[in-house]
Amino acid sequence: EANRKNHELNRKLDQNILRPAGVGYTNAIPDDLEDSVGHFASNLSLPGTVVNNLLQGNVEGAFRNTVRFVVNTTLGFGGLFDPASDFGIEEIDGDFGQTLYVWGVPEGAYVELPLVGPSTERAAVGKVVDLFTNPLSYVLPSPDKYIGTAAGAASKVGERGRYAEAIDSILYNSADSYSQARGIYLQNRRFKLGDGEAAEEINPFELDTQGF
């Protein structure tokens, strides 16, 4: 079936490109700098999260994420550091797939997409819409608007290196890596939406292009 074919494609891409890049990135970049890249990417994605908070009617989440963005952008030197967490201002997650869930849209079938990896039909639509929901993408000039996407991709590559052992155990050391990746993704996604129990929080393939 198409999902298993895409899974094998993703495994080959991971084996030949993403895993070597991730391990090399993690070995070459100091942990503090790697953390800063992750903070920077996360901070730049927050305005899009605020939009989804509002679409979900979560005013408290929108307010908290706005305060978090302001604090980290100013006191955190553009988001390179995360003083907001030190102040107890944690991020309230919000993506358009979650918004569709709040609106009552069914989950749909499980799908595995090339490069993107495990998803559902609802989440896949959400990923596409999230490419256009960050207000910063409409106010920053080119090429500045693409900095967030680049930082997000670098952060995900770094995560592949950091969690290499755990991800390798799923992709290369399990009897059926497709079934295991599918189960982990669905458990984690449903838990995030309040629909189930959490599994190990690993999506072996997902490169988050949300940002700019």
Side-chain angles (χ1 to χ4, degrees):
E1 64 178 288
N3 280 343
R4 285 191 176 272
K5 289 181 179 178
N6 287 336
H7 179 75
E8 288 306 312
L9 172 63
N10 285 330
R11 285 213 325 159
K12 290 178 181 178
L13 290 172
D14 178 82
Q15 185 176 28
N16 295 316
I17 300 175
L18 185 54
R19 187 186 187 282
V23 173
Y25 178 89
T26 299
N27 289 337
I29 303 296
D31 289 346
D32 289 346
L33 180 56
E34 193 173 341
D35 289 341
S36 291
V37 172
H39 292 322
F40 182 72
S42 177
N43 190 60
L44 288 178
S45 71
L46 273 176
T49 303
V50 170
V51 170
N52 279 298
N53 293 147
L54 292 172
L55 291 174
Q56 296 165 24
N58 187 353
V59 177
E60 179 184 354
F63 176 76
R64 179 176 294 190
N65 284 334
T66 299
V67 173
R68 179 178 172 84
F69 176 75
V70 172
V71 169
N72 282 348
T73 300
T74 55
L75 302 181
F77 297 94
L80 292 174
F81 302 98
D82 184 17
S85 291
D86 296 333
F87 298 146
I89 309 170
E90 300 294 339
E91 179 178 352
I92 304 298
D93 287 339
D95 56 58
F96 196 73
Q98 188 180 58
T99 299
L100 293 175
Y101 165 78
V102 172
W103 290 354
V105 176
E107 179 179 76
Y110 172 81
V111 293
E112 180 157 338
L113 304 172
L115 290 178
V116 176
S119 186
T120 62
E121 290 177 330
R122 181 178 62 202
V125 172
K127 290 177 189 296
V128 174
V129 175
D130 277 330
L131 295 173
F132 306 97
T133 55
N134 194 322
L136 292 181
S137 64
Y138 302 101
V139 298
L140 291 177
S142 296
D144 293 353
K145 66 174 63 180
Y146 302 113
I147 293 176
T149 299
S155 178
K156 290 300 179 182
V157 170
E159 288 179 7
R160 179 60 181 95
R162 280 192 175 188
Y163 304 114
E165 184 175 348
I167 296 174
D168 287 352
S169 70
I170 297 170
L171 291 182
Y172 308 116
N173 301 325
S174 59
D176 186 348
S177 60
Y178 168 77
S179 295
Q180 189 165 355
R182 178 182 184 273
I184 289 173
Y185 172 81
L186 289 175
Q187 280 185 286
N188 280 323
R189 185 62 182 173
R190 290 166 183 170
F191 176 78
K192 182 178 181 180
L193 299 175
D195 272 359
E197 297 181 357
E200 189 178 2
E201 290 194 23
I202 297 175
N203 181 345
F205 314 108
E206 184 173 348
L207 280 176
D208 185 359
T209 53
Q210 181 182 348
F212 296 144

